[in-house]
Amino acid sequence: MEINREDYKSDPKVVESGNVGEATSSASSSVLKSTLLLENVGDVVLTLNSDGLSLEFLGSSYNDGSITSGIKPVQKFVNEIRFSDVYGVEFINYGLINVSRQSKAEQCFQGRASHGSEMYRFTVHSFQKSRGQPCLWVLAVYSFGHKDLQTCQTWVDRINASLNLEMGRPKNLLVFINPMSGKASGRRTWEMVAPIFSRAKVKTKVIVTERAGHAFDVMSSAANKELKSYNGVIAVGGDGFFNEILNGFLLSRHKAPWPPSPSDIVHSDQSSGNGLFRNPNERVTETTCQNEDHSPLLSNSVYNGTRQANFRTEDGTCNIGQDFEFPLPGEEFRFGIIPAGSTDAIVMCTTGTRDPITSALNIVLGKKVCLDIAQVVRWKTTTASDIEPYVRYAASFAGYGFYGDVIAESEKYRWMGPKRYDYAGTKVFLRHSSYEAEVAFIETESEKTNPTVEKVHLFSGLRKRQGPKKSERVVCRTNCGVCNTKSDYMSKRSPCSTTYSSSGETRWLRSRGKFLSVGAAIISNRNERAPDGLVADAHLSDGFLHLLMIRDCPHASYLWHLTQLAKRGGQPLNFEFVEHHKTPAFTFTSFGKQSVWNLDGELFQAHQLSAQVFRGLVSLFASGPEV
């Protein structure tokens, strides 16, 4: 049965003026109304207002049907489509629009023809959240039809005008694709999401990397004027690939003081008459400069490297120089990640899922979260090397011992793809190597009451200690209150400010011993192997590192700890051989010959290093994980 124009006569209360069935609006009002045919649903009254589109179904044939989705049927008929959820609208010209909700296979099986009519059409592209997984966003396509060409064109123009008013949406992006990430699926992943950017009218310059370090070289050599022509940079790959792009951007632009080296803290102790090594529950006090215009850390440093200068004058002030044209953090310039890696921990923590479509939607809709970034300075590569500072940045994790050994071992089995991490992890676990090292970290207010600070070196490996219950964890979520609250350790005076620039007296605590691993989690690092992450209540932008030190313990005890990590709702930190400290900075010194670190999934050789966190240093196209 063909639907003719008479089916579109509307109630005068709905259409106030103009020809019957055509779009109408008033010069004094932004409201626009029409009676249209919604594909696979039937006649609807579509109304445009300041917030979005509202739909009113006309007729009795519709009961529980579904709206056609670009991927799969989404939730039942919706009454409202907000502009904040719409990423594109397009005119499709003249063609058939179906009324039947049956698939073509069902129509053929039941011997029924498709009910529909040829008319002018336009499509609104939006999304809906999955019922079972709120973090998963499903593409939703709403196709409307009308016999009048001008009616459809008016709707397209008005919706586009409303979308142009949405703030923060990108118009021009630089996209890097790592064809070798994960299961070598970088290109296929981009081909899957590229239509979303096209419908959203986002211009993309795509660079497919040809070698390791290619993206780093492009970002580090790009002129600031060129980067300012983009609203952001997108990485199609894993955490390591994003780390490469991040370092290419920051190393040549972020000019800030370095954290203190381990020897600086030793010299501070010696000048106070203190010994080199100290019981971990004793406090080493170092008083910082009260003037915010001076660095509280090192008075002067010399750098012999080639990639990063220490931007500090002889009086200790931070020199931002004439080349510092790109402000950090930038309000408009953002980074984005479309997951195609082996673990994709950063995407899991910032969107709640590893779904490429969800990440692409976060990007084109202009979502934003701030992300802490750790500055890691390697002072010595080996025990015999000279001090030659080398700077890197990390967005998710820096780990030594077990974490570094797994990365080093997995490099031998790249041909296995992501499974190499499981194989390498098993080998390293059976090896059960421990390393002697010393870690110094800044005490915070929370550390003064932390039970791990009061521990001594002797412990019962299988006995759990008292820790926060699952219900007491403040987990990072969308519009997180912790991330949106200013910290006492945070100063937004300039890009040179560290998280403890104006904290007054700085107290350093020290811990030495044999460790199975030493790690610093910047975010929770949720992934498929650790559903709650390394630290369940770590936040995206609170200005703290979560320092994790796993002391040497029996095999069975360590296995129990790893089992708790792999369990949703587990308590991996509630063991006496596990030290957990919340701190803005720490230093590390190895007393062995081998010193391999895992920096965002990449190998990093360091015998002696320091790290500090910069709160909310960069912005990501993401909205944070849903509850």
Side-chain angles (χ1 to χ4, degrees), residues 181-364:
S181 285
K183 297 180 180 179
S185 59
R187 281 193 179 93
R188 294 194 302 272
T189 300
W190 174 249
E191 291 170 358
M192 179 197 309
V193 301
I196 296 176
F197 291 85
S198 177
R199 297 181 195 121
K201 296 181 174 59
V202 178
K203 296 180 180 179
T204 55
K205 179 182 178 180
V206 179
I207 299 176
V208 180
T209 57
E210 300 174 354
R211 54 178 172 78
H214 185 180
F216 176 93
D217 293 339
V218 173
M219 288 298 295
S220 60
S221 61
N224 285 340
K225 184 177 180 180
E226 178 186 356
L227 286 181
K228 286 181 180 179
S229 67
Y230 298 103
N231 300 115
V233 177
I234 308 302
V236 185
D239 295 336
F241 188 54
F242 174 69
N243 178 277
E244 179 182 331
I245 294 172
L246 180 71
N247 276 275
F249 177 78
L250 290 177
L251 283 173
S252 58
R253 295 173 179 86
H254 183 226
K255 303 182 179 182
W258 289 343
S261 71
S263 58
D264 289 311
I265 299 176
V266 170
H267 295 156
S268 175
D269 290 352
Q270 291 175 340
S271 65
S272 303
N274 297 321
L276 175 63
F277 304 116
R278 168 183 304 276
N279 188 292
N281 39 328
E282 290 184 60
R283 294 175 181 173
V284 181
T285 302
E286 180 182 350
T287 303
T288 63
C289 179
Q290 298 293 330
N291 188 347
E292 283 193 359
D293 291 334
H294 290 74
S295 165
L297 303 178
L298 304 178
S299 60
N300 191 19
S301 296
V302 179
Y303 174 60
N304 300 319
T306 58
R307 284 186 174 174
Q308 168 77 10
N310 186 17
F311 301 98
R312 184 190 305 279
T313 59
E314 290 186 356
D315 63 356
T317 59
C318 177
N319 177 19
I320 60 177
Q322 70 273 16
D323 294 331
F324 190 72
E325 301 173 4
F326 213 98
L328 292 174
E331 290 297 324
E332 298 299 329
F333 194 89
R334 275 164 280 179
F335 293 86
I337 309 174
I338 297 177
S342 300
T343 56
D344 300 312
I346 299 175
V347 168
M348 284 287 292
C349 292
T350 54
T351 68
T353 179
R354 294 179 68 187
D355 178 51
I357 290 176
T358 300
S359 293
L361 288 170
N362 271 274
I363 294 170
V364 298

Side-chain angles (χ1 to χ4, degrees), residues 1-22:
M1 178 182 72
E2 183 176 296
I3 299 175
N4 56 44
R5 186 182 176 90
E6 294 301 315
D7 292 313
Y8 289 87
K9 287 184 178 179
S10 303
D11 189 324
K13 294 180 180 178
V14 176
V15 179
E16 298 175 353
S17 62
N19 296 329
V20 174
E22 294 183 4

Side-chain angles (χ1 to χ4, degrees), residues 7 12 22 48 64 135 143 173 213 234 238 247 261 327 360 363 383 393 436 441 479 612:
D7 292 313
E22 294 183 4
L48 179 147
D64 60 349
C135 292
S143 294
L173 295 172
I234 308 302
N247 276 275
S261 71
I363 294 170
T383 55
Y393 290 90
E436 187 173 358
F441 57 94
N479 300 320
Q612 65 179 338

Side-chain angles (χ1 to χ4, degrees), residues 90 103 196 227 332 340 383 509 559 563:
E90 55 185 342
S103 67
I196 296 176
L227 286 181
E332 298 299 329
T383 55
L509 301 178
L559 178 61
T563 302

Side-chain angles (χ1 to χ4, degrees), residues 133-200:
Q133 305 177 56
C135 292
L136 182 65
W137 294 1
V138 183
L139 293 180
V141 179
Y142 305 87
S143 294
F144 298 91
H146 199 280
K147 287 290 186 180
D148 182 64
L149 170 62
Q150 187 58 43
T151 298
C152 290
Q153 192 61 58
T154 299
W155 274 99
V156 171
D157 293 343
R158 289 290 300 274
I159 294 174
N160 269 325
S162 296
L163 295 181
N164 289 335
L165 298 177
E166 291 292 313
M167 301 297 292
R169 297 196 177 186
K171 300 297 182 183
N172 197 12
L173 295 172
L174 178 60
V175 179
F176 289 96
I177 300 174
N178 183 354
M180 302 308 295
S181 285
K183 297 180 180 179
S185 59
R187 281 193 179 93
R188 294 194 302 272
T189 300
W190 174 249
E191 291 170 358
M192 179 197 309
V193 301
I196 296 176
F197 291 85
S198 177
R199 297 181 195 121

